[in-house]
Structures are given as structure tokens and as C-alpha cells.
Amino acid sequence: MSFTNNPSGAGSFADARSKLGSTPSSDSSSWNGDEATQPGDDLAAAKLWAVYISEAGKHDKVLVKRWKSDMEGLLIFAGLFSASLTAFIIESYKDLSPDQSAIMISLLERIAQQQLNPGAIPQALDPGIAPQTGPSTASLACNILWFLSLGLSLSCALIATLVQQWARDFLQNTEMRPSPIVRARIFSYLYFGLQRFGMHTMVEFIPFLLHLSLLLFFAGLVAFLLPINIVITAVAAGILGLISVTYLCLTVLPIISADSPYRTPLSSAIWAFFQQLSRLFCRGREAPTDQESTLTSSEDTKVPTMMEVMVSKAVASSPKRDQRDAQVIVWTVRSLTDNEELEPFVEALPDLIWGPGGQRRSYDGMINKLLDAADLHLIPRIEALLRSCDSGLLVPETEARRRISCLKALWSLAYFIGSYAGPRDSFPHFDHNLLKSQLNSKSTAPRLQDFALSASSLARWIDFCAVTSSVQRALTTLRSKQSNSTAQDLRVVIQEVQQEAYSRDFGDFCTALAQGISFNAKDLRSCLESLESFELKSFDTLLPYLKSSAALDTAPYEFEATCKIMQVSDILWKHIDVRNNVKDTLQEIITSGYIPSQAELHPVDIIVDMLLYSLGNDFGNPQAAKALAKYITYRTAGPGYNQALSGSIPMIWLLC
């Protein structure tokens, strides 16, 4: 969105308007407003102009409404201020007239002197001892300042009243015709008239008159009190100085910091002045050539407004912007109090993490803030929203939508945690019973099992990552103490791992770890081997996921992305126990009736390709070899078949 030179940003749609229709040329147009006489091209563009009217109408109504509300506030303040100022002027303007009492006293004194010396010749009155009949300097300055203040205040009230009338006329003139084309052209004609005659500047200037009137009042108050008492004068002068300094700071602050909420009517003028001065200074230093100066367009000389600078800094990519985004989203989640408010957020959450092109990285800091904020309880709140689907109080459509949204959100959070599992210090807990129950749910939600299987398996993988992180910390600690480890050192390290493993439902690993170690310093190598063996637990999640995926009619939700997160090193694939499990899994998938009949790619084909690649040329299990031969025999030729057997095939498989 582009903005005009209007400091308040009120003309932000000017460029958009100029694209939709050109500025009306003059009042001498032959258009008579009769829809029946519109050209065919105008009738064809009626829908386009209706869109313009909709957008321009919303903008103009907001603009005029803001003007009217501002003017109402100014009228109230100007009325109260003028009434208060009038009371002071009534008291001060008396000093402008000659003091009749002083003149009378002077004349009486002269008459008395004549009576005391009746034989004396009357003399002219000495000007030096004549009473001062003119106003004093302080009185004159006070009244000048206060009358100026009153005049500005009343002028402000008058102009504010006129602005309200102009705003009403603007809305009335833009809504007087039903034809979209006529209304659109009236909109553009009047709006560009507002810009051409500086209506925005006028509205910005009115508050400045009132501010200046207030400053003149305090300056006159200082002059009024000066002949009376120096202490009271000092207090009034201090108030005037404080107000002036504050006003100056409020004027300059938005120029220094674009996110400042404070500003005065002078801020925009000072900003434009310094911008022009800066440009002139830069041009003087660069000294462009004649050819460059002729190529300079009016757009290059345009001074950016404060609004444009604010918008630019607000949307510019930076660590501070990411931090602000995270803070506002965390506040948003804190403010969501019930399921109806939380559900739209849960629906939008997966799109922040995963998109058609893969994982998004723009909002990683925001997601980390949401997960690390202990008071948010993000995952438990999403799980509570998922449990509400089993209450029986929701209509089937709402229940199905909410259930799928929650499963997608849980999967995306688990994917995000798994993609950054290495550097994480803490891992959230998922309710595995809840996720597994979705696999057997009687809900009418489409592809519910596809979503539930991926979410449940990936959540279980996060548990594995959490224990792996604890194991890695324990290995680092033990290896650093390898030469001088004590039984107490072993006990502390092992107990920390066991506590994490028990909380993640890896009880068999805890038992094996405790049985293989007697907490003796000489058992350090045995301790290290037991900890390192935990990596094999990764296949306890991966292989069941592959087996369950093969039983589905379609691939589970984001099947390839889920498998990518649950990757293990090639070294682990070569472990004898792992290879046996892989062969058994392959045999079970193929012999359980999961061989697809269609030629298109199926999850079974992807799984077979993955398992065959991991086995390489090692296929010592005759039952598994026969199962593979069965797959080759009964699998329909096509893309799926080619995908599954894309790697090298050992000759023994073809001979079985």
C-alpha cells in the first residue's frame, strides 16, 4: 500500500484510486448522469467500479468519521477554554483605560495646595508628578497575549464547525447517486479535490491553533502576575516553561523514533523540513551531472512521510520485528479463554510451520516462544480442545473440523520440535493415549486415521528425542570424568537419564540400564555402552509407523515429511538386530495382503523402497526373500512398482 504526502496517512488510497480511474478532468464534461446514456464500455466496467466504491467508501467513511470526532473534541475544549479566558480578560482589560481615581486624587491635591496658599499664582501641573494615565507595559503585554489567545480559540471553533459541515457535505455528495459509475467518478472527483486544496493540511492545522492559544494564555498570565507578586510570577513562568518543553519534546519525539505514539501538528512540518534539508545537503555533496539531473523524476524527489517511514520500519525484516511478532502472538494465546476462541488459532497454527513447499522458517522464533512459555500450556490446551470432540455436544461438521485441526496442529508442533531436536533443552509431553484413541474413533472426519497415525508416531518420536538429549548430556558428562569417575558420579548421571526415560515411557531401557551397572567406577565402560544402545530405540517408532502406514488405503498425513524427521544414521541400519527387524517388517507388510492393485504410487511402494535401500545386498532371511518375490509377482506394473524397485535388486531375490 502506498501513501500520499499527507502526514496523517489519510490519503493512503490515493495511488490505488489513480490506478482504478483517472482524475476527473473538469466540470465541462458532457456526462449528464443518466445511466441510460452510458456507453457500452462503462456498463461493462460497472462491476469494477463497484469494487472501487466499496474500498473507497470504507476509507472515506473512516476518514470523515475521524475528522468529525476530532472536531467535536476541539469544539468542546475551545468552548471551555474561551469561557475561562474571558473571565481573565474582563479583569485585565480595565488596566488599558486611564485610572480615573488617580486623576481625581491628583486634582484634589492641587486644589488643597491652592487653598493653603491663596496668594500664590496658579502654576501648571508638573508632568513629572502627574499620574500615569496610560497602561503599563506588563498590562499591555498581558492583554495583547490574552486577546490573541481568545481570537485563536474562537477561530479554531469556527473552522472546526466548518470542517464538520464539509465532512457531512462530502458524504452526502458521494452517496446521492445510485449508479456505480457516477458514484465512482464523484468519489474520485471530490477526493482529489480534497487533496488539491489541502483539506488534510487544514484539519492538521486546527489543533495547532488551539495549542498556540493555550501557550499565549500562559504567557499572558506571567505578564499579568508580574506587577503583583514575583513568587507567583515565577510559578506561572515555570508552568509555561514546562508546557513549552513538553510540547517541544512531543513534537520531536516521533521524528526521532517512528514508533512513538506522541506527536503534535508541528511534527509533520518539522519532519518534512529536515527531510528536504537533508536531501539538499546530499545533492550538494554528490553534485549530479546535467544528464543525471534531467533523468531525475518527480518520484525521486518525493519526501517520504512519517507514516511511510513508520510502515517501512514496522514491516522490515529484523530480529526486533520477529521478537515483536512472538510477543503479540504469545499475548494472543494468553487472551484466548475458551475453545471457541482457541479453535481459529489452532486451525491457523500448522500453516506457520508447514506449507506446500515444506517447512517454513519465517516464524521459528514465534513458535519457540509459544512452546517455551510455561504459562501458555500450548500442547495441553490443544489436546483439551481435541478431547472436547468426544463430548457429544458438537454437530458432526464442527466436530470433524475441530478434530482434524487439532491433529494437524499437534503434528506440526511435533515436526517443528523434531526438526530442532538437537539444540533443544526441554521437550513437551504429548498425551499418547489421546492420540492413539483417535485411530479407533468413530468420528465422521475424513481421513482421520491418516492424521492420527502421523501425529501419534511423531509425538512418540519426540519422546525418543527427549531421552536421547538426556543420554547425550550424560555421555558428555561421563566422558569428561572418565579418568576419575566415582560411584556417586555414575549414580547421579544414571538417575537423571532414568527419570527422563520413565517419564517418557521407556521403562525397558531404564531396567536394562539399571541391571547392567552396579554403580561402581570400574563399570564406566559398561555404563557408556548401555547409554549408547538407546539409539536403537529409534526403530521402535519408525518401523511400527511404516507397518501401520502400509495398512492404510492412502498415505498418512505428510508421510514423507514424517519419515524424514524420523531418520536414523546409516550405521544403525547395519546393526544385526535392526536388520532382522527390518526384514521381519518387510515380510509382514508384503504377506499381510497390503500389496496394492492399482498401478499408481502407494505407501507400500515407498515403504518397500525405503526398506530395500536400507538392507542393500544383505537379505539372508529366506521368508523375507519369498515375501519380496511375492511382491514382485503380484504388484501391478506402473509408477508404484518402479518406485519400489528403483534400487539394485540382489539376484537371490529374483530367484526365490
Side-chain angles (χ1 to χ4, degrees):
M1 181 181 294
S2 60
F3 296 86
T4 65
N5 283 326
N6 168 36
S8 65
S12 57
F13 283 80
D15 294 339
R17 294 180 178 202
S18 62
K19 294 177 182 178
L20 290 175
S22 59
T23 306
S25 57
S26 67
D27 293 337
S28 61
S29 173
S30 61
W31 175 254
N32 59 9
D34 186 1
E35 188 173 353
T37 62
Q38 294 180 26
D41 293 343
D42 285 347
L43 289 174
K47 292 184 178 180
L48 176 64
W49 287 112
V51 175
Y52 165 76
I53 291 172
S54 176
E55 294 299 318
K58 290 186 292 185
H59 170 260
D60 291 338
K61 286 180 180 179
V62 172
L63 176 65
V64 173
K65 183 179 179 181
R66 183 178 67 84
W67 284 354
K68 291 174 65 178
S69 61
D70 290 347
M71 295 305 104
E72 289 174 358
L74 289 175
L75 282 173
I76 295 174
F77 182 81
L80 295 175
F81 177 70
S82 299
S84 302
L85 181 58
T86 302
F88 283 90
I89 292 177
I90 292 174
E91 186 65 27
S92 66
Y93 90 96
K94 300 176 183 179
D95 296 337
L96 298 177
S97 302
D99 191 349
Q100 300 297 330
S101 299
I103 296 176
M104 183 64 67
I105 292 173
S106 177
L107 292 175
L108 291 175
E109 288 180 352
R110 185 174 180 184
I111 293 172
Q113 290 177 359
Q114 271 306 112
Q115 291 178 351
L116 291 175
N117 301 298
I121 300 174
Q123 306 232 347
L125 186 63
D126 187 0
I129 62 173
Q132 296 293 333
T133 58
S136 64
T137 304
S139 176
L140 188 61
C142 169
N143 282 274
I144 290 175
L145 293 173
W146 279 355
F147 276 104
L148 282 175
S149 177
L150 181 61
L152 292 176
S153 178
L154 295 177
S155 300
C156 179
L158 174 61
I159 300 175
T161 304
L162 292 175
V163 168
Q164 286 186 322
Q165 180 181 352
W166 298 334
R168 288 192 296 268
D169 291 342
F170 178 82
L171 290 179
Q172 181 181 0
N173 293 333
T174 55
E175 296 177 355
M176 61 186 299
R177 295 297 182 94
S179 171
I181 301 177
V182 176
R183 288 188 63 193
R185 287 169 177 165
I186 291 175
F187 258 122
S188 61
Y189 184 78
L190 294 179
Y191 184 82
F192 286 111
L194 291 181
Q195 287 190 326
R196 190 160 67 96
F197 287 98
M199 181 69 173
H200 302 94
T201 305
M202 171 69 73
V203 174
E204 286 285 329
F205 185 69
I206 297 174
F208 173 70
L209 293 180
L210 200 56
H211 300 168
L212 181 60
S213 176
L214 185 63
L215 292 176
L216 291 176
F217 166 74
F218 279 105
L221 185 62
V222 173
F224 177 76
L225 296 174
L226 183 60
I228 300 175
N229 188 283
I230 191 62
V231 176
I232 301 178
T233 303
V235 173
I239 296 176
L240 175 61
L242 180 61
I243 293 176
S244 301
V245 172
T246 303
Y247 194 85
L248 179 62
C249 293
L250 295 178
T251 301
V252 177
L253 194 58
I255 300 175
I256 300 174
S257 181
D259 60 343
S260 171
Y262 311 112
R263 58 172 297 168
T264 68
L266 290 178
S267 299
S268 300
I270 296 177
W271 165 267
F273 172 76
F274 279 109
Q275 289 294 315
Q276 291 286 6
L277 190 64
S278 176
R279 290 202 168 197
L280 290 175
F281 178 74
C282 293
R283 286 181 184 177
R285 294 182 60 183
E286 294 177 0
T289 62
D290 295 339
Q291 183 179 4
E292 291 176 345
S293 60
T294 57
L295 295 176
T296 303
S297 62
S298 60
E299 187 69 21
D300 296 332
T301 60
K302 178 183 176 182
V303 177
T305 64
M306 295 175 64
M307 178 65 71
E308 290 175 334
V309 173
M310 183 274 293
V311 173
S312 175
K313 291 185 177 181
V315 301
S317 178
S318 65
K320 290 185 177 181
R321 188 200 66 176
D322 296 339
Q323 185 179 4
R324 291 194 304 268
D325 293 346
Q327 289 175 344
V328 297
I329 293 300
V330 169
W331 175 87
T332 301
V333 178
R334 285 197 181 103
S335 64
L336 302 177
T337 57
D338 53 33
N339 291 336
E340 284 68 23
E341 293 178 347
L342 181 63
E343 186 174 0
F345 171 79
V346 173
E347 291 178 355
L349 184 60
D351 292 333
L352 297 180
I353 301 174
W354 186 261
Q359 185 177 2
R360 305 182 194 271
R361 302 288 183 177
S362 302
Y363 297 96
D364 287 357
M366 179 188 300
I367 303 301
N368 276 319
K369 283 282 188 180
L370 291 172
L371 292 172
D372 295 339
D375 60 324
L376 288 186
H377 307 291
L378 180 60
I379 292 178
R381 291 184 66 180
I382 298 177
E383 292 173 343
L385 184 64
L386 180 58
R387 290 190 192 92
S388 68
C389 299
D390 299 324
S391 62
L393 302 177
L394 303 175
V395 296
E397 294 79 7
T398 303
E399 175 266 329
R401 185 185 69 252
R402 179 177 294 185
R403 198 183 295 271
I404 296 300
S405 299
C406 291
L407 290 174
K408 289 176 65 176
L410 292 173
W411 179 90
S412 62
L413 290 174
Y415 182 89
F416 177 84
I417 297 169
S419 62
Y420 293 100
R424 290 192 69 87
D425 296 328
S426 61
F427 295 81
H429 288 261
F430 290 85
D431 190 340
H432 297 285
N433 293 330
L434 174 64
L435 294 175
K436 290 179 180 178
S437 67
Q438 304 303 310
L439 294 170
N440 303 319
S441 176
K442 297 180 180 179
S443 171
T444 59
R447 296 187 59 197
L448 178 61
Q449 289 187 336
D450 298 349
F451 291 96
L453 179 59
S454 292
S456 176
S457 299
L458 205 51
R460 182 57 179 165
W461 180 260
I462 299 306
D463 288 338
F464 168 77
C465 294
V467 180
T468 300
S469 178
S470 179
V471 168
Q472 292 299 326
R473 290 195 298 269
L475 289 173
T476 302
T477 303
L478 292 177
R479 286 166 182 164
S480 63
K481 299 180 179 180
Q482 191 166 3
S483 59
N484 56 354
S485 297
T486 63
Q488 182 63 26
D489 295 334
L490 291 175
R491 184 176 292 106
V492 171
V493 172
I494 296 303
Q495 285 178 350
E496 291 178 356
V497 176
Q498 286 179 325
Q499 183 178 2
E500 184 68 28
Y502 272 122
S503 67
R504 304 285 178 172
D505 198 19
F506 285 97
D508 54 345
F509 171 70
C510 297
T511 303
L513 188 62
Q515 290 177 351
I517 301 171
S518 60
F519 299 114
N520 197 313
K522 64 181 181 180
D523 293 330
L524 179 59
R525 178 167 295 277
S526 175
C527 178
L528 294 174
E529 292 176 354
S530 299
L531 291 172
E532 292 171 351
S533 67
F534 181 75
E535 287 185 288
L536 299 176
K537 291 292 182 181
S538 58
F539 293 94
D540 293 348
T541 302
L542 176 59
L543 295 180
Y545 176 65
L546 298 178
K547 190 185 305 181
S548 300
S549 300
L552 299 176
D553 296 332
T554 57
Y557 177 69
E558 298 296 346
F559 174 70
E560 295 184 9
T562 305
C563 293
K564 183 178 180 181
I565 286 294
M566 294 192 291
Q567 280 186 352
V568 292
S569 64
D570 294 338
I571 298 177
L572 291 180
W573 284 101
K574 297 178 181 179
H575 195 279
I576 183 61
D577 294 335
V578 173
R579 302 188 74 82
N580 291 333
N581 290 335
V582 170
K583 296 172 185 177
D584 294 340
T585 301
L586 182 61
Q587 178 186 4
E588 184 175 352
I589 289 174
I590 296 177
T591 59
S592 298
Y594 299 149
I595 300 178
S597 58
Q598 69 271 22
E600 289 76 14
L601 185 65
H602 190 272
V604 172
D605 304 319
I606 301 175
I607 295 170
V608 170
D609 176 50
M610 184 186 305
L611 297 181
L612 289 180
Y613 177 80
S614 66
L615 289 174
N617 293 325
D618 178 20
F619 208 83
N621 189 337
Q623 289 78 13
K626 292 179 180 179
L628 179 61
K630 178 181 178 182
Y631 174 83
I632 297 174
T633 303
Y634 293 102
R635 182 66 175 98
T636 303
Y641 178 86
N642 297 334
Q643 171 70 24
L645 303 179
S646 59
S648 60
I649 305 175
M651 291 300 296
I652 188 173
W653 298 348
L654 299 177
L655 295 175
C656 293

